[in-house]
Amino acid sequence: MAEPTLLKTPLFDWHQSHGGRIVEFGGWLMPVQYSTIVDEHQAVRQRVGVFDISHMGRLTFDGPGMLAWLERVTTNHVAKLNLDQIQYSLMANDQGGLIDDILVYRHQYGYYLVCNASNRPAVLAQLEQHRRGAVGNFHDHTRETAMIAVQGPGALATVQPLFDQPLEPVKYYHLTLGRLLGDVNAVVSRTGYTGEDGYELIVPANQAERVWNAILDSGQSQGILPCGLGARDTLRFEAAMPLYGHELSEAINPFAALVGWAVKLDKGDFIGRESLRGWKRNPGQTRVGLRLEGKRIARQGTTVLDSDRAVGTVTSGTFSPTLQSSLAMALVEPSLSLVSTPLTLDVRGHREPARVVELPFYRRSPHSQK
Amino acid sequence: MDPTQLRYSPTHEWLYLKDLTATVGISRFAVDQLTDLINIELPAVGTRLVRGKSFGEIESVKAVSDLYAPMSGEVTEVNTAVVDNVQLLADDPYELGWLIKLNVDDAAEFGELLDYEAYEKKLAEEAH
């Protein structure tokens, strides 16, 4: 059987010609790093970084039946969205397992959905399956657009000079429509996946490289670095943001994953509601943060032990550049989730002592919050 | 050490042999590929190594990789400075970042390692 063709973002040539190390991720060829993961990570924590996130799935919805359709296939309450607001939400299956975690945007032209790259086919299939005669349609415009994240304390100063609308008043999880570089229509949202302040920009694919280069120029005085998926992962990890395929999956319920706040059981019927009601009463497991004493990294799949009894599994683990420590997130029995609980990790046959610590591992200092 | 005077394994360890004592490290290429080094595990003095078998591991943010013995022998010395500070390896893989010294069993194994030119050629080929 032929290998499936890997997709390239509109910025692929730029990445390749600027030292990006290209890897396969979610069906796409993406840069994992340009310099080192730690340098790129620190650029975002201390200054500003720019990421190509065009691999994320992007869908538009138009027509009058959209709200009911979106309410049916998502767990959060779409009707609560104000104009120009964005909502973190989930798509569940009938068993209450997660098909994806998504963002739902509401702007003046309707609803917009951003999903994970690898889950785009499943999200499209779920929407199609539960259409139930909704008038109107959704349109996958992932390939027609690019998405660029500018993240870090210097994000506002980097993006504002390029954009014709004021960005400072745009609150967290809100968006504004406007023009970049005078003539590029853009959706600019105050969202991100790094634990820092920042913006995500959606622009036409054929303008992506022009916008990207303008961001790098504008951010130069801020010390901007292009950043790859490696730093994106360590940044989201420190902020304890879940990653589908790690903290979230069809086999993990949202209450165990600590995203149960995005499940609104009282909003009316939706896919997975009855199962989710049961999971809320008894999630079975809960996500915790772990700090290892040693330097070994407990990667996904590492068994968590209480004495010699297996009590859970690591979902993500890495070395935290900010805390200078080996950290992990794991799903464990709820009785073992209290901060300071001592646990052991079986890292490739080595018994590594660890303790439960509070999540998130990293929270940006209040003075940099806008 | 002068990299052009060393021998190399296909798995990117370098080796310098004098009499029957080998000094072992990993190449600049390997260090640059790994990036973001966090931790290195090396065997204790007295450990017997078998050519081609793992003698330790090196961990970066991205992944953990095995280190493979370029020759068989007994570990006579371990660079504890690099265990305490793996950054030494990133900064200087051929001097301060050496890993272990070995009393080799069979000097004939030396001949099977790649010389500098052959190693560079292999890297160039892999880049395509």
Side-chain angles (χ1 to χ4, degrees):
Chain A
M1 214 165 73
E3 288 286 308
T5 311
L6 295 171
L7 302 173
K8 294 175 182 174
T9 80
L11 293 162
F12 178 81
D13 290 345
W14 192 95
H15 303 318
Q16 218 175 21
S17 61
H18 290 78
R21 288 191 195 175
I22 306 297
V23 299
E24 189 274 333
F25 182 80
W28 293 74
L29 289 167
M30 298 297 293
V32 67
Q33 65 197 93
Y34 306 85
S35 53
T36 74
I37 292 172
V38 172
D39 284 350
E40 293 170 17
H41 180 108
Q42 303 295 20
V44 172
R45 286 275 177 264
Q46 293 157 13
R47 306 187 307 274
V48 60
V50 59
F51 303 77
D52 178 11
I53 55 168
S54 304
H55 61 306
M56 304 292 287
R58 290 174 293 283
L59 315 177
T60 58
F61 293 81
D62 38 40
M66 296 302 107
L67 178 61
W69 193 5
L70 281 167
E71 292 284 24
R72 198 150 58 233
V73 296
T74 67
T75 64
N76 210 334
H77 201 164
V78 188
K80 287 275 169 71
L81 271 174
N82 294 315
L83 187 63
D84 293 337
Q85 194 180 9
I86 298 170
Q87 184 178 71
Y88 179 81
S89 190
L90 306 163
M91 264 191 193
N93 61 28
D94 288 325
Q95 291 73 46
L98 299 178
I99 293 169
D100 201 5
D101 66 333
I102 58 174
L103 293 183
V104 179
Y105 296 44
R106 187 187 158 203
H107 56 54
Q108 63 189 97
Y109 305 110
Y111 292 97
Y112 198 85
L113 188 155
V114 175
C115 66
N116 282 298
S118 57
N119 292 329
R120 186 162 56 110
V123 166
L124 294 173
Q126 182 78 349
L127 280 165
E128 203 51 68
Q129 191 188 335
H130 298 284
R131 170 190 291 274
R132 276 201 221 156
V135 179
N137 213 343
F138 64 89
H139 172 63
D140 179 357
H141 83 158
T142 308
R143 306 301 305 279
E144 298 158 32
T145 54
M147 192 165 181
I148 297 170
V150 184
Q151 301 279 300
L156 177 64
T158 300
V159 180
Q160 186 63 83
L162 310 174
F163 193 56
D164 68 353
Q165 301 295 316
L167 283 173
E168 182 124 45
V170 178
K171 291 193 291 256
Y172 193 51
Y173 269 68
H174 284 72
L175 66 92
T176 184
L177 307 180
R179 286 199 175 84
L180 285 159
L181 308 177
D183 61 1
V184 180
N185 286 319
V187 181
V188 176
S189 59
R190 197 163 198 165
T191 47
Y193 196 49
T194 60
E196 296 302 325
D197 192 14
Y199 300 89
E200 292 177 321
L201 287 50
I202 300 169
V203 297
N206 62 8
Q207 298 297 320
E209 198 162 321
R210 203 177 137 217
V211 170
W212 177 268
N213 283 320
I215 291 166
L216 285 170
D217 283 347
S218 174
Q220 199 171 23
S221 59
Q222 305 284 323
I224 198 168
L225 280 188
C227 303
L229 293 183
R232 185 165 157 86
D233 187 49
T234 54
L235 288 158
R236 73 90 198 167
F237 173 87
E238 286 185 346
M241 292 168 146
L243 172 60
Y244 196 91
H246 288 257
E247 286 69 40
L248 308 174
S249 78
E250 294 219 7
I252 299 170
N253 73 75
F255 300 97
L258 305 184
V259 292
W261 57 270
V263 178
K264 300 293 174 358
L265 291 169
D266 299 331
K267 73 166 182 171
D269 196 25
F270 62 91
I271 311 299
R273 180 162 77 150
E274 285 322 302
S275 304
L276 287 166
R277 214 184 280 286
W279 286 121
K280 186 176 185 177
R281 279 192 299 273
N282 181 19
Q285 293 182 305
T286 192
R287 175 157 63 105
V288 294
L290 297 171
R291 185 174 191 141
L292 284 78
E293 275 177 29
K295 288 185 193 166
R296 282 198 181 89
I297 295 176
R299 296 178 196 272
Q300 183 175 33
T302 300
T303 300
V304 183
L305 301 161
D306 177 27
S307 303
D308 279 327
R309 191 171 63 94
V311 293
T313 309
V314 168
T315 54
S316 295
T318 193
F319 182 82
S320 159
T322 307
L323 283 80
Q324 288 290 306
S325 175
S326 172
L327 304 175
M329 290 193 278
L331 288 168
V332 301
E333 294 174 5
S335 63
L336 296 167
S337 63
L338 286 179
V339 167
S340 297
T341 304
L343 293 168
T344 305
L345 295 165
D346 179 357
V347 183
R348 301 181 302 279
H350 302 279
R351 295 289 171 107
E352 297 289 334
R355 273 183 194 280
V356 175
V357 294
E358 206 175 317
L359 290 177
F361 300 112
Y362 166 84
R363 189 178 271 128
R364 72 177 179 269
S365 52
H367 64 79
S368 65
Q369 257 164 353
K370 299 275 160 58
Chain B
M1 308 265 171
D2 174 355
T4 64
Q5 301 305 310
L6 302 172
R7 295 293 177 105
Y8 297 85
S9 68
T11 47
H12 309 292
E13 291 80 14
W14 60 255
L15 181 143
Y16 172 77
L17 188 67
K18 192 180 180 211
D19 303 325
L20 283 177
T21 300
T23 306
V24 175
I26 62 172
S27 72
R28 166 57 67 192
F29 174 83
V31 167
D32 287 350
Q33 283 299 301
L34 290 166
T35 76
D36 303 295
L37 300 180
I38 292 162
N39 189 33
I40 188 160
E41 306 274 339
L42 295 174
V45 169
T47 306
R48 296 213 45 86
L49 305 191
V50 178
R51 184 170 68 113
K53 302 284 187 204
S54 170
F55 70 90
E57 59 183 42
I58 184 159
E59 188 146 37
S60 71
V61 169
K62 281 194 300 265
V64 58
S65 312
D66 278 309
L67 301 164
Y68 296 100
M71 292 178 75
S72 301
E74 186 176 316
V75 178
T76 57
E77 221 179 310
V78 174
N79 186 357
T80 52
V82 87
V83 174
D84 293 340
N85 177 15
V86 74
Q87 193 57 35
L88 285 179
L89 173 56
D91 295 342
D92 189 4
Y94 298 113
E95 293 288 346
L96 296 174
W98 66 275
L99 302 180
I100 54 170
K101 292 188 182 180
L102 279 184
N103 202 344
V104 303
D105 293 345
D106 179 4
E109 286 178 354
F110 184 73
E112 297 181 34
L113 293 168
L114 305 168
D115 63 17
Y116 178 74
E117 223 170 84
Y119 180 63
E120 287 288 303
K121 191 163 165 253
K122 177 183 131 53
L123 294 182
E125 281 166 8
E126 283 176 6
H128 293 290

